[in-house]
Amino acid sequence: LGKLGEKLRKSIKKLAKMPIVDEKVVKEVIKDLQRALIQADVNVKLVFKLSKSIEKRALKEEPPKGITPKEHVIKIVYEELTKLLGKKSYKLKIDKKPYKILFVGLQGSGKTTTVAKLAHYLRLKGYNSAVVCTDTWRTAAYDQLKQLTEEINVPMYGDPNEDNPIRLAKEGLNKFKNYDVILFDTAGRHKNEKELLDEMEMLSKEINPDEIILVIDGTIGQQAKSQAKAFSERVKIGSIIVTKLDGSAKGGGALSAVSEVGAPIKFIGTGEKIDDLEEFDPARFMSRLLGMGDI
Amino acid sequence: MFESLKNKLNKAVKKITKSVSKKEIEKGKVEENKSGIFSFIKEKTISEDDIEDVLWELQLELLEGDVALEVAEKITESVKKELVGKKVKRSTDIDKYTRNALKNAILEILKTDSNVEDLLKIKKKPFVILFVGVNGTGKTTTIAKLAKYFMEKGLVPVIAAADTFRAGAIEQITKHGEKLGVKVIKHKKGSDPAAVAYDAVNHAKSKNKDVVLIDTAGRMQTNMNLMEEMAKIKRVVNPDFIIFVGDALTGNDAVEQAKMFDEKIGIDGVILTKADADTRGGAAISISYVIGKPILFLGIGQNYDDLIEFKPEWVVKQLFT
């Protein structure tokens, strides 16, 4: 990350020294920017789309008075990226009762932990939340969610001997209908597992959720786009939570998923502990992505 | 899993051929004018200018295939080195040279001295294997698969449930053990993972078992406390082999993870999981180069048999035939 930021800053410095920002200089800066974004795992096609509009604007627009060409280009880069993420942060709105949230995502992306984190978060906000385990695939999925919810004192429904997720969802729905929020955990699945995607679609029909949250691993690479697409073709993704951003990953893959499914990021996961969940801040995410500190 | 990377490489070879041969013809015309003799034999020395742009495109294609930046740079660099200065007579030459250059570059990157059989040969009893990796990459499932792998070779494994932190981790590995008929050594949740690992090794010694597989909690490579804990497990059990379990869906961070684990703990081999999720294979090409350690297996599903041996020649065959 440091090395990349350095490269970027160097080329931007180069740019600052130029009396005029000509095509050659801009192109060079764009090349560095492309490299930085690709290394942060932003989808390559998305990078090109982005850099094209940045290049066009950087060459065409006159920098406003008092702003150096350098600052101007940085500003354009920032603005174009912000367009993707949205300027403001999107909050989770609980506007009916019970508010049903369905969690979906790839294997190992962090759904179960995130379900518990969000249940805990909502409880602290004063909502009466409950959790349903519909993961009948992964060994000991039930035990994991049970232990997590016991820790935070949130009721949980599941049955390790039941192998039909639809039945589990139905039961859970019935059991917790008087709660403010019901969170449904599901098994991990990927785009090549057709049966599992069918199952997810059926689950969604049964639950009729008010919000479907796609949980994305912050370390995911160029696959993010096509995986996110496979999910959103089957169910309507309402928001995204990016996990594991406490490591060295820059989360560019998540950005690609956002642009693919057209849903905002609402939270990020920053650790394994139950309160390691933060509301998403686009500006901070962006500077992390570019390795530029605060822009 | 390498389908997409294969297409990209083929595309690159075609582009390089086209770009060079276009300039070749132009040059041929010039020579013709000078000498005044009509000649069908044209020779062209490939220059840096000829391939600069296409190599940049190749680099981007590799990056799109999840090949880490430094590895993509290394590949294009060695292709450039092998091509620039080469004399070519026809476009089929360029195609051949480029293909070879790419093949060599990738083999070079994947090359290690030993194969799975040698590496996991039981040199002492019990043979202790420690598993490390970040959260959710598939360590526990992989351990269950490997336990089965060893059993099929007639060896008796024992598993240490040394992930004492994550909710449900002990139950998960215990159930795998029950299904496979493998003894799982465990303590209570929250207990010292090093103590569990130590007990498992002692159990294996006293019961004359062949292999100890130590499951550990997932940890971010940037979390120093947890890395310290891992180092402690290593000190206590002195493993014969350390396997890094990485997720093939991971992008550039895969390399960061492997690097850090290798620095802090030391890695002997790698297993890449979730290769069935249509990954582009870039991580497979990147990881072993950066840490200089071989990839042993690919995980290709959620069943115990979904584990295949990984060989560099196999990868090159996937990519170039």
Side-chain angles (χ1 to χ4, degrees), chain A residues 133-158:
Chain A
C133 171
T134 70
D135 184 352
T136 56
W137 290 91
R138 186 164 59 88
T139 314
Y142 169 84
D143 301 270
Q144 183 185 4
L145 197 55
K146 189 164 168 260
Q147 283 172 26
L148 285 168
T149 47
E150 268 168 12
E151 229 172 273
I152 53 173
N153 249 327
V154 165
M156 176 255 193
Y157 174 74

mmCIF file of all heavy atoms in Angstrom, chain A residues 133-158:
data_model
loop_
_atom_site.group_PDB
_atom_site.id
_atom_site.type_symbol
_atom_site.label_atom_id
_atom_site.label_comp_id
_atom_site.label_asym_id
_atom_site.label_seq_id
_atom_site.Cartn_x
_atom_site.Cartn_y
_atom_site.Cartn_z
ATOM 1 N N CYS A 133 -30.925 -19.186 12.051
ATOM 2 C CA CYS A 133 -29.877 -19.893 11.304
ATOM 3 C C CYS A 133 -30.511 -20.793 10.257
ATOM 4 O O CYS A 133 -31.238 -21.729 10.577
ATOM 5 C CB CYS A 133 -29.025 -20.717 12.262
ATOM 6 S SG CYS A 133 -27.878 -21.821 11.417
ATOM 7 N N THR A 134 -30.266 -20.501 8.974
ATOM 8 C CA THR A 134 -30.819 -21.363 7.920
ATOM 9 C C THR A 134 -29.702 -22.110 7.196
ATOM 10 O O THR A 134 -29.929 -22.681 6.138
ATOM 11 C CB THR A 134 -31.619 -20.539 6.881
ATOM 12 O OG1 THR A 134 -30.685 -19.749 6.137
ATOM 13 C CG2 THR A 134 -32.648 -19.644 7.527
ATOM 14 N N ASP A 135 -28.508 -22.058 7.744
ATOM 15 C CA ASP A 135 -27.370 -22.740 7.114
ATOM 16 C C ASP A 135 -27.387 -24.210 7.495
ATOM 17 O O ASP A 135 -27.047 -24.579 8.612
ATOM 18 C CB ASP A 135 -26.054 -22.091 7.542
ATOM 19 C CG ASP A 135 -24.843 -22.694 6.839
ATOM 20 O OD1 ASP A 135 -25.007 -23.713 6.133
ATOM 21 O OD2 ASP A 135 -23.739 -22.156 6.990
ATOM 22 N N THR A 136 -27.797 -25.042 6.553
ATOM 23 C CA THR A 136 -27.861 -26.486 6.826
ATOM 24 C C THR A 136 -26.687 -27.206 6.172
ATOM 25 O O THR A 136 -26.606 -28.418 6.178
ATOM 26 C CB THR A 136 -29.169 -27.076 6.272
ATOM 27 O OG1 THR A 136 -29.222 -26.765 4.878
ATOM 28 C CG2 THR A 136 -30.370 -26.485 6.977
ATOM 29 N N TRP A 137 -25.777 -26.445 5.578
ATOM 30 C CA TRP A 137 -24.663 -27.042 4.831
ATOM 31 C C TRP A 137 -23.402 -27.143 5.662
ATOM 32 O O TRP A 137 -22.835 -28.200 5.821
ATOM 33 C CB TRP A 137 -24.366 -26.216 3.577
ATOM 34 C CG TRP A 137 -25.438 -26.324 2.549
ATOM 35 C CD1 TRP A 137 -26.525 -25.507 2.416
ATOM 36 C CD2 TRP A 137 -25.563 -27.310 1.529
ATOM 37 N NE1 TRP A 137 -27.305 -25.920 1.378
ATOM 38 C CE2 TRP A 137 -26.741 -27.031 0.809
ATOM 39 C CE3 TRP A 137 -24.789 -28.407 1.154
ATOM 40 C CZ2 TRP A 137 -27.160 -27.793 -0.265
ATOM 41 C CZ3 TRP A 137 -25.208 -29.176 0.074
ATOM 42 C CH2 TRP A 137 -26.378 -28.862 -0.618
ATOM 43 N N ARG A 138 -22.955 -26.019 6.151
ATOM 44 C CA ARG A 138 -21.641 -26.014 6.780
ATOM 45 C C ARG A 138 -21.700 -26.729 8.133
ATOM 46 O O ARG A 138 -22.618 -26.520 8.925
ATOM 47 C CB ARG A 138 -21.138 -24.589 6.978
ATOM 48 C CG ARG A 138 -19.718 -24.538 7.490
ATOM 49 C CD ARG A 138 -19.121 -23.163 7.295
ATOM 50 N NE ARG A 138 -19.900 -22.140 7.980
ATOM 51 C CZ ARG A 138 -19.695 -21.801 9.239
ATOM 52 N NH1 ARG A 138 -18.760 -22.366 9.947
ATOM 53 N NH2 ARG A 138 -20.438 -20.877 9.796
ATOM 54 N N THR A 139 -20.698 -27.537 8.372
ATOM 55 C CA THR A 139 -20.599 -28.260 9.629
ATOM 56 C C THR A 139 -20.542 -27.271 10.793
ATOM 57 O O THR A 139 -19.776 -26.322 10.764
ATOM 58 C CB THR A 139 -19.322 -29.127 9.625
ATOM 59 O OG1 THR A 139 -19.244 -29.797 8.375
ATOM 60 C CG2 THR A 139 -19.325 -30.138 10.746
ATOM 61 N N ALA A 140 -21.404 -27.495 11.784
ATOM 62 C CA ALA A 140 -21.425 -26.705 13.012
ATOM 63 C C ALA A 140 -21.787 -25.231 12.813
ATOM 64 O O ALA A 140 -21.479 -24.393 13.654
ATOM 65 C CB ALA A 140 -20.111 -26.814 13.778
ATOM 66 N N ALA A 141 -22.455 -24.918 11.707
ATOM 67 C CA ALA A 141 -22.911 -23.544 11.484
ATOM 68 C C ALA A 141 -23.851 -23.118 12.613
ATOM 69 O O ALA A 141 -23.800 -21.997 13.118
ATOM 70 C CB ALA A 141 -23.626 -23.433 10.142
ATOM 71 N N TYR A 142 -24.706 -24.072 12.990
ATOM 72 C CA TYR A 142 -25.653 -23.813 14.076
ATOM 73 C C TYR A 142 -24.920 -23.474 15.379
ATOM 74 O O TYR A 142 -25.252 -22.502 16.052
ATOM 75 C CB TYR A 142 -26.549 -25.042 14.254
ATOM 76 C CG TYR A 142 -27.395 -25.025 15.496
ATOM 77 C CD1 TYR A 142 -28.621 -24.362 15.521
ATOM 78 C CD2 TYR A 142 -26.968 -25.680 16.651
ATOM 79 C CE1 TYR A 142 -29.394 -24.344 16.664
ATOM 80 C CE2 TYR A 142 -27.730 -25.659 17.805
ATOM 81 C CZ TYR A 142 -28.950 -24.997 17.814
ATOM 82 O OH TYR A 142 -29.707 -24.964 18.946
ATOM 83 N N ASP A 143 -23.916 -24.290 15.718
ATOM 84 C CA ASP A 143 -23.170 -24.059 16.963
ATOM 85 C C ASP A 143 -22.510 -22.684 16.976
ATOM 86 O O ASP A 143 -22.473 -22.004 17.990
ATOM 87 C CB ASP A 143 -22.079 -25.117 17.134
ATOM 88 C CG ASP A 143 -22.655 -26.516 17.180
ATOM 89 O OD1 ASP A 143 -22.981 -26.982 18.269
ATOM 90 O OD2 ASP A 143 -22.811 -27.126 16.104
ATOM 91 N N GLN A 144 -21.978 -22.309 15.822
ATOM 92 C CA GLN A 144 -21.282 -21.028 15.747
ATOM 93 C C GLN A 144 -22.242 -19.873 16.051
ATOM 94 O O GLN A 144 -21.956 -19.023 16.894
ATOM 95 C CB GLN A 144 -20.673 -20.844 14.351
ATOM 96 C CG GLN A 144 -19.866 -19.546 14.229
ATOM 97 C CD GLN A 144 -19.351 -19.288 12.832
ATOM 98 O OE1 GLN A 144 -19.647 -20.036 11.896
ATOM 99 N NE2 GLN A 144 -18.578 -18.232 12.681
ATOM 100 N N LEU A 145 -23.390 -19.886 15.400
ATOM 101 C CA LEU A 145 -24.340 -18.794 15.594
ATOM 102 C C LEU A 145 -24.927 -18.825 17.005
ATOM 103 O O LEU A 145 -25.169 -17.788 17.620
ATOM 104 C CB LEU A 145 -25.440 -18.882 14.539
ATOM 105 C CG LEU A 145 -26.275 -17.619 14.348
ATOM 106 C CD1 LEU A 145 -25.391 -16.416 14.053
ATOM 107 C CD2 LEU A 145 -27.266 -17.795 13.198
ATOM 108 N N LYS A 146 -25.100 -20.022 17.528
ATOM 109 C CA LYS A 146 -25.641 -20.159 18.871
ATOM 110 C C LYS A 146 -24.689 -19.533 19.882
ATOM 111 O O LYS A 146 -25.088 -18.739 20.739
ATOM 112 C CB LYS A 146 -25.852 -21.646 19.178
ATOM 113 C CG LYS A 146 -26.612 -21.891 20.455
ATOM 114 C CD LYS A 146 -27.114 -23.329 20.507
ATOM 115 C CE LYS A 146 -27.618 -23.667 21.888
ATOM 116 N NZ LYS A 146 -26.655 -24.428 22.683
ATOM 117 N N GLN A 147 -23.414 -19.867 19.749
ATOM 118 C CA GLN A 147 -22.432 -19.316 20.687
ATOM 119 C C GLN A 147 -22.351 -17.798 20.584
ATOM 120 O O GLN A 147 -22.266 -17.098 21.585
ATOM 121 C CB GLN A 147 -21.058 -19.936 20.431
ATOM 122 C CG GLN A 147 -20.938 -21.345 20.993
ATOM 123 C CD GLN A 147 -19.652 -22.032 20.564
ATOM 124 O OE1 GLN A 147 -18.663 -21.374 20.264
ATOM 125 N NE2 GLN A 147 -19.665 -23.352 20.537
ATOM 126 N N LEU A 148 -22.379 -17.317 19.364
ATOM 127 C CA LEU A 148 -22.280 -15.866 19.155
ATOM 128 C C LEU A 148 -23.477 -15.137 19.760
ATOM 129 O O LEU A 148 -23.336 -14.103 20.414
ATOM 130 C CB LEU A 148 -22.184 -15.545 17.659
ATOM 131 C CG LEU A 148 -20.843 -15.832 16.985
ATOM 132 C CD1 LEU A 148 -20.974 -15.743 15.473
ATOM 133 C CD2 LEU A 148 -19.774 -14.855 17.473
ATOM 134 N N THR A 149 -24.672 -15.679 19.537
ATOM 135 C CA THR A 149 -25.863 -14.980 20.014
ATOM 136 C C THR A 149 -26.024 -15.117 21.525
ATOM 137 O O THR A 149 -26.576 -14.236 22.172
ATOM 138 C CB THR A 149 -27.132 -15.492 19.300
ATOM 139 O OG1 THR A 149 -27.114 -16.922 19.297
ATOM 140 C CG2 THR A 149 -27.216 -14.986 17.881
ATOM 141 N N GLU A 150 -25.519 -16.211 22.081
ATOM 142 C CA GLU A 150 -25.552 -16.345 23.534
ATOM 143 C C GLU A 150 -24.692 -15.270 24.183
ATOM 144 O O GLU A 150 -25.045 -14.682 25.197
ATOM 145 C CB GLU A 150 -25.059 -17.737 23.954
ATOM 146 C CG GLU A 150 -26.194 -18.738 24.080
ATOM 147 C CD GLU A 150 -25.705 -20.174 24.219
ATOM 148 O OE1 GLU A 150 -24.490 -20.381 24.442
ATOM 149 O OE2 GLU A 150 -26.557 -21.080 24.095
ATOM 150 N N GLU A 151 -23.559 -15.020 23.533
ATOM 151 C CA GLU A 151 -22.627 -14.027 24.033
ATOM 152 C C GLU A 151 -23.274 -12.650 24.130
ATOM 153 O O GLU A 151 -22.994 -11.888 25.041
ATOM 154 C CB GLU A 151 -21.459 -13.943 23.041
ATOM 155 C CG GLU A 151 -20.079 -14.000 23.641
ATOM 156 C CD GLU A 151 -19.052 -14.094 22.517
ATOM 157 O OE1 GLU A 151 -18.747 -15.232 22.071
ATOM 158 O OE2 GLU A 151 -18.586 -13.034 22.087
ATOM 159 N N ILE A 152 -24.131 -12.337 23.158
ATOM 160 C CA ILE A 152 -24.709 -10.998 23.122
ATOM 161 C C ILE A 152 -26.157 -10.997 23.613
ATOM 162 O O ILE A 152 -26.840 -9.969 23.547
ATOM 163 C CB ILE A 152 -24.646 -10.392 21.692
ATOM 164 C CG1 ILE A 152 -25.280 -11.361 20.668
ATOM 165 C CG2 ILE A 152 -23.223 -10.086 21.307
ATOM 166 C CD1 ILE A 152 -25.422 -10.794 19.283
ATOM 167 N N ASN A 153 -26.606 -12.156 24.068
ATOM 168 C CA ASN A 153 -27.948 -12.225 24.626
ATOM 169 C C ASN A 153 -29.054 -11.917 23.637
ATOM 170 O O ASN A 153 -30.013 -11.219 23.972
ATOM 171 C CB ASN A 153 -28.061 -11.240 25.787
ATOM 172 C CG ASN A 153 -28.173 -11.988 27.091
ATOM 173 O OD1 ASN A 153 -28.761 -13.080 27.127
ATOM 174 N ND2 ASN A 153 -27.617 -11.418 28.143
ATOM 175 N N VAL A 154 -28.911 -12.425 22.433
ATOM 176 C CA VAL A 154 -29.946 -12.228 21.418
ATOM 177 C C VAL A 154 -30.562 -13.597 21.138
ATOM 178 O O VAL A 154 -29.822 -14.572 20.956
ATOM 179 C CB VAL A 154 -29.330 -11.626 20.134
ATOM 180 C CG1 VAL A 154 -30.276 -11.759 18.949
ATOM 181 C CG2 VAL A 154 -28.953 -10.164 20.345
ATOM 182 N N PRO A 155 -31.874 -13.705 21.113
ATOM 183 C CA PRO A 155 -32.467 -15.006 20.858
ATOM 184 C C PRO A 155 -32.165 -15.499 19.453
ATOM 185 O O PRO A 155 -32.073 -14.706 18.513
ATOM 186 C CB PRO A 155 -33.965 -14.772 21.044
ATOM 187 C CG PRO A 155 -34.148 -13.310 20.933
ATOM 188 C CD PRO A 155 -32.885 -12.662 21.364
ATOM 189 N N MET A 156 -32.003 -16.823 19.331
ATOM 190 C CA MET A 156 -31.661 -17.388 18.041
ATOM 191 C C MET A 156 -32.473 -18.646 17.825
ATOM 192 O O MET A 156 -32.696 -19.428 18.743
ATOM 193 C CB MET A 156 -30.163 -17.700 18.051
ATOM 194 C CG MET A 156 -29.656 -18.392 16.818
ATOM 195 S SD MET A 156 -29.345 -20.130 17.150
ATOM 196 C CE MET A 156 -28.431 -20.612 15.719
ATOM 197 N N TYR A 157 -32.937 -18.816 16.580
ATOM 198 C CA TYR A 157 -33.625 -20.056 16.250
ATOM 199 C C TYR A 157 -32.838 -20.839 15.215
ATOM 200 O O TYR A 157 -32.306 -20.282 14.254
ATOM 201 C CB TYR A 157 -35.040 -19.790 15.710
ATOM 202 C CG TYR A 157 -35.679 -21.067 15.239
ATOM 203 C CD1 TYR A 157 -36.151 -22.002 16.158
ATOM 204 C CD2 TYR A 157 -35.738 -21.368 13.872
ATOM 205 C CE1 TYR A 157 -36.690 -23.204 15.730
ATOM 206 C CE2 TYR A 157 -36.278 -22.575 13.446
ATOM 207 C CZ TYR A 157 -36.746 -23.493 14.384
ATOM 208 O OH TYR A 157 -37.254 -24.677 13.956
ATOM 209 N N GLY A 158 -32.779 -22.141 15.418
ATOM 210 C CA GLY A 158 -32.115 -23.024 14.476
ATOM 211 C C GLY A 158 -32.357 -24.437 14.921
ATOM 212 O O GLY A 158 -32.912 -24.661 16.002
#
